[in-house]
Amino acid sequence: MDFTASTAGLASAAADVARLLPTRVVDPVIAGLVLRATGSGVELAGNDRERAVSLSRAATVHDEGAVLVPARPFAETLRGLDEPQVRVVVEGSRLAVRTGRGRFALPLLDLHSHPGVPALPPLAGRITARVLASAVVPVAGAASKEDALPVFTGVHVQGAGSRLELIATDRYRMAYSSLPWSGGELDVLVPASLLAEVVRQPGAGDEVSLHADDDRLALAWRGGSVSTALLAAPFPDDRARKLLEATIDSTVLVEADALAGAVRRAVPYAGPHGAVTLQVDDGEVRVRGSDPQAGESEESIKATVDGNRLTKSFQARYLSDALKAFSGRRVELRIQDGLRSTVLTAQAGDDGVELTYLVVPLRTVS
Amino acid sequence: MDFTASTAGLASAAADVARLLPTRVVDPVIAGLVLRATGSGVELAGNDRERAVSLSRAATVHDEGAVLVPARPFAETLRGLDEPQVRVVVEGSRLAVRTGRGRFALPLLDLHSHPGVPALPPLAGRITARVLASAVVPVAGAASKEDALPVFTGVHVQGAGSRLELIATDRYRMAYSSLPWSGGELDVLVPASLLAEVVRQPGAGDEVSLHADDDRLALAWRGGSVSTALLAAPFPDDRARKLLEATIDSTVLVEADALAGAVRRAVPYAGPHGAVTLQVDDGEVRVRGSDPQAGESEESIKATVDGNRLTKSFQARYLSDALKAFSGRRVELRIQDGLRSTVLTAQAGDDGVELTYLVVPLRTVS
């Protein structure tokens, strides 16, 4: 194998493969990166049996071939190079990365022991990368980061009829998005952190195809694909969807970024529980914090209010996450009675993505 | 007290006071920030008995006065504000930070229990901030970050005759700088981390005055001052200075940034001990790494070589730190026999600052 390629392009692909595969695998073959040069360019790939990644880059191929090398030093070497072009060539038992005055020689691992990249499962449908990302990123952010309860680390993706629906919850907040779908049936629980990473891989305008079977979901686009094992846990759909049916006590329409700014400024006063209070008033929302050491804060944000005047307390970071999902837009807060969730929604954008975010209020002494 | 000031100016001063005082003090009074408004502006100050800080900012003072408030929420509140101007006013038992639609009210702490900012010790001499920083920053970086042996966390500052000398070592490397001095006698051991922070406070062209007595060192400039308790430990001067007298085996003149780049690129191959090898050859230095998993690297850098051809291994991070201190310049490596330190030096700059950096080589099997 022998090829010349753009250092930046090759470096970004190697970094993505190294990042999308977990960092600590005992078996160096499974932690390795497959590099394959063919007439049309080079493919960088990895498969740790949970996840499989394949990314393509343009290259001038002098000699075709395929090798397996340690992923991390290969990625770090490319990242550190100053030269715009790099030569990559097999020399004996080494893969040499060559620059004008330097040679970086990686050991060749046993390519035949590597599982390779599995074929894509059957096609379920297609969607523009930008649209998919705008639905996936806020929903994936509402999933739990703790592996103790796997079902809460996943995004439930369901395609049925003309809509694709995504839902995730960590039990303290829940996010739901719905977008136009012309594909077939789909019902999978996907690791949220991987899904959020993967939707950033293709170009914004690229078309992404979704592929699924009973065991895997794959996303593929021009020049790349990622597949992941599904989470094998029953998502509590009925309970989740029931939460979406709000009995509204008060509706507040407000600029999401203005409210997010006020919440951020109340954080130094959010106290030991990180709590901020929203007081719905005539034509405004007052954002308040109170802490025995730091003191008190109050800031008012203009709002269109419909319904009862009331007061709710929230975890500041959950409220901030929810508002961030609506950045640049007006958001509607549908506030329910007692300890029932507050529902955040906005008008669907031009891309047809509808987003609903639920935040559970804090129990307060009032 | 009542004044209006630039939010950015006040926020930077409050952040600096909060940062220069340690984060965890049990006594809220000692952790507090003194805010004093007089005809000429506002002073922000703190004193945790180890360190004292005072910074001045312009303000339109409507009503003079002084208060003590919690430093951290005050700094965080100012940092989060969008408005260019902010009003700060005492209202009952609170200091209110007021914006168009917000009010942030900090409790007033007992100003009379606060030690205040002590008077500056006697003047020892003056120096331009930029010149002082170029001598202090690399030397302070060679000090230890571990408090177990306090003497190695300090910079020994000595003024005598026409030179001010700074020296620090963590026992694996040592940095020494010398700069023109027209002040008096000075002999103090100063916490390195604080010294490195403080020299960034004044403007580059500002004149800094150094003040010292047996207990404290203070730096003062237009609009601010910081003082610190000295480290009470005898610095091993004799041994340190003996190390500066090198018996040179080989001299290598090289662009510091080119060599630093090659060392950085060898890091993925630096192995479990983080070691890189310099091989001095005809008209070049070869930078090499070797690791059982990652493979081998070799890169050659043009150099002017005088003396024996030889090979030395170093901790990559120590060598990188040393080369960074000479960034943008040609550096001379004076390599000594065996396990004696390699000495890095460069021509003194226009500012008259001379810098010498010693790195102890690694014991290697060769």
Side-chain angles (χ1 to χ4, degrees):
Chain A
M1 194 179 70
D2 183 359
F3 67 86
T4 304
S6 145
T7 308
L10 206 59
S12 75
D16 288 343
V17 171
R19 197 180 62 250
L20 290 168
L21 296 179
T23 39
R24 298 278 169 213
V25 182
V26 180
D27 183 349
V29 165
I30 293 302
L33 180 146
V34 177
L35 194 60
R36 188 182 307 275
T38 58
S40 55
V42 289
E43 179 199 11
L44 295 88
N47 181 358
D48 71 354
R49 300 189 206 275
E50 286 271 310
R51 301 168 174 189
V53 188
S54 165
L55 300 172
S56 297
R57 290 293 186 267
T60 306
V61 177
H62 314 297
D63 200 359
E64 300 192 352
V67 295
L68 181 71
V69 292
R72 211 149 287 270
F74 182 64
E76 283 174 26
T77 296
L78 291 167
R79 186 171 61 112
L81 298 180
D82 295 329
E83 278 100 341
Q85 296 277 320
V86 65
R87 179 90 175 255
V88 180
V89 53
V90 172
E91 296 173 354
S93 66
R94 292 285 184 267
L95 179 73
V97 176
R98 285 191 166 276
T99 63
R101 301 181 65 88
R103 176 179 183 272
F104 304 87
L106 298 130
L108 299 181
L109 306 174
D110 182 17
L111 180 62
H112 299 292
S113 307
H114 190 272
V117 174
L120 294 175
L123 177 69
R126 296 179 207 278
I127 208 159
T128 308
R130 189 192 320 103
V131 177
L132 183 63
S134 76
V136 161
V137 173
V139 173
S144 174
K145 275 86 194 162
E146 288 162 31
D147 287 336
L149 289 167
V151 64
F152 296 115
T153 65
V155 175
H156 190 196
V157 181
Q158 282 179 295
S162 64
R163 305 295 288 182
L164 186 70
E165 297 179 310
L166 295 91
I167 193 163
T169 177
D170 65 0
R171 290 171 296 158
Y172 307 103
R173 67 266 186 72
M174 185 176 95
Y176 165 86
S177 68
S178 156
L179 59 165
W181 177 244
S182 56
E185 293 278 324
L186 191 65
D187 187 346
V188 289
L189 187 64
V190 191
S193 57
L194 179 70
L195 196 57
E197 278 269 11
V198 168
V199 293
R200 294 190 185 99
Q201 291 285 328
D206 283 359
E207 192 179 61
V208 176
S209 59
L210 276 67
H211 306 253
D213 59 20
D214 289 346
D215 302 318
R216 302 186 76 79
L217 175 79
L219 278 72
W221 59 94
R222 195 167 44 86
S225 71
V226 174
S227 72
T228 176
L230 300 176
L231 291 169
F235 192 81
D237 271 292
D238 292 350
R239 278 165 58 200
R241 281 171 192 273
K242 197 164 263 176
L243 291 175
L244 293 172
E245 297 158 11
T247 312
I248 301 160
D249 205 36
S250 188
T251 300
V252 176
L253 195 62
V254 66
E255 293 292 341
D257 294 335
L259 186 55
V263 170
R264 179 169 42 80
R265 285 186 287 274
V267 166
Y269 306 86
H273 302 296
V276 297
T277 298
L278 301 190
Q279 182 184 333
V280 178
D281 221 323
D282 287 328
E284 63 180 19
V285 180
R286 290 171 200 246
V287 181
R288 294 203 304 227
S290 179
D291 175 67
Q293 260 88 54
E296 302 84 33
S297 74
E298 179 172 323
E299 186 167 349
S300 65
I301 300 295
K302 281 183 193 159
T304 307
V305 175
D306 186 18
N308 294 329
R309 307 289 165 268
L310 44 72
T311 299
K312 289 272 165 216
S313 291
F314 300 93
Q315 282 275 357
R317 65 194 177 95
Y318 290 158
L319 196 54
S320 292
D321 280 356
L323 290 167
K324 194 177 157 195
F326 297 95
S327 182
R329 299 153 79 183
R330 283 176 77 80
V331 62
E332 187 175 287
L333 280 71
R334 297 176 185 164
I335 304 177
Q336 305 190 80
D337 199 30
L339 289 176
R340 300 184 66 191
S341 306
T342 290
V343 181
L344 288 80
T345 58
Q347 294 258 324
D350 294 341
D351 53 12
V353 176
E354 287 173 10
L355 179 65
T356 303
Y357 211 112
L358 273 68
V359 182
V360 178
L362 289 170
R363 193 181 298 272
T364 51
V365 184
S366 60
Chain B
M1 193 179 70
D2 185 358
F3 66 86
T4 305
S6 145
T7 307
L10 205 60
S12 75
D16 288 342
V17 171
R19 196 180 62 249
L20 289 169
L21 296 179
T23 39
R24 298 278 169 214
V25 182
V26 179
D27 183 350
V29 166
I30 294 302
L33 180 146
V34 178
L35 195 60
R36 189 182 305 275
T38 57
S40 55
V42 289
E43 179 198 11
L44 295 88
N47 181 357
D48 70 355
R49 300 190 206 274
E50 285 269 311
R51 300 168 174 189
V53 188
S54 166
L55 300 172
S56 298
R57 290 293 186 266
T60 306
V61 177
H62 314 298
D63 200 359
E64 300 193 350
V67 296
L68 181 71
V69 292
R72 210 149 288 269
F74 182 65
E76 283 174 26
T77 297
L78 290 167
R79 187 170 60 113
L81 298 180
D82 294 330
E83 279 99 342
Q85 296 277 318
V86 66
R87 179 90 175 255
V88 180
V89 54
V90 172
E91 295 173 355
S93 65
R94 291 287 186 264
L95 179 73
V97 176
R98 284 190 166 278
T99 63
R101 301 181 65 89
R103 176 178 182 272
F104 304 87
L106 298 130
L108 299 181
L109 306 173
D110 181 16
L111 180 61
H112 299 293
S113 307
H114 190 272
V117 174
L120 294 175
L123 177 68
R126 296 179 206 278
I127 208 158
T128 307
R130 186 190 325 103
V131 177
L132 184 62
S134 76
V136 161
V137 172
V139 173
S144 175
K145 276 84 193 164
E146 289 163 29
D147 288 337
L149 288 167
V151 63
F152 296 116
T153 65
V155 175
H156 190 195
V157 182
Q158 281 179 294
S162 63
R163 306 294 289 182
L164 187 70
E165 297 179 310
L166 295 89
I167 193 164
T169 178
D170 66 359
R171 290 171 296 160
Y172 307 104
R173 67 273 191 61
M174 185 176 96
Y176 164 86
S177 68
S178 156
L179 60 164
W181 177 245
S182 57
E185 293 278 324
L186 190 65
D187 187 346
V188 289
L189 187 64
V190 190
S193 57
L194 179 71
L195 196 59
E197 278 268 13
V198 168
V199 294
R200 293 190 185 100
Q201 290 285 327
D206 283 358
E207 193 179 61
V208 175
S209 59
L210 276 67
H211 305 254
D213 59 20
D214 289 346
D215 302 317
R216 302 186 78 78
L217 175 78
L219 278 72
W221 58 94
R222 198 165 42 85
S225 70
V226 174
S227 71
T228 176
L230 301 176
L231 292 169
F235 192 82
D237 271 290
D238 292 350
R239 276 165 59 200
R241 282 173 191 272
K242 196 163 264 175
L243 292 174
L244 294 172
E245 298 158 11
T247 311
I248 302 158
D249 205 37
S250 187
T251 300
V252 177
L253 194 62
V254 66
E255 293 292 340
D257 293 336
L259 185 55
V263 169
R264 180 168 43 78
R265 286 185 287 274
V267 166
Y269 305 87
H273 303 295
V276 297
T277 298
L278 301 191
Q279 182 183 333
V280 179
D281 221 323
D282 287 328
E284 65 182 17
V285 180
R286 289 169 200 247
V287 181
R288 294 203 304 227
S290 178
D291 175 66
Q293 260 88 53
E296 302 83 35
S297 74
E298 178 172 323
E299 186 168 349
S300 64
I301 300 295
K302 282 182 194 161
T304 308
V305 175
D306 185 19
N308 294 330
R309 307 287 164 270
L310 44 73
T311 299
K312 289 273 164 214
S313 291
F314 300 93
Q315 283 275 355
R317 64 193 177 96
Y318 289 158
L319 195 55
S320 292
D321 280 356
L323 290 166
K324 194 176 157 197
F326 297 95
S327 182
R329 298 202 270 166
R330 283 177 76 80
V331 63
E332 188 175 287
L333 279 72
R334 298 178 185 163
I335 304 177
Q336 304 189 80
D337 198 30
L339 289 176
R340 300 184 67 190
S341 307
T342 290
V343 181
L344 288 81
T345 58
Q347 294 257 324
D350 295 340
D351 55 13
V353 176
E354 288 173 9
L355 179 64
T356 303
Y357 211 113
L358 273 68
V359 182
V360 179
L362 289 170
R363 192 181 300 270
T364 51
V365 184
S366 59

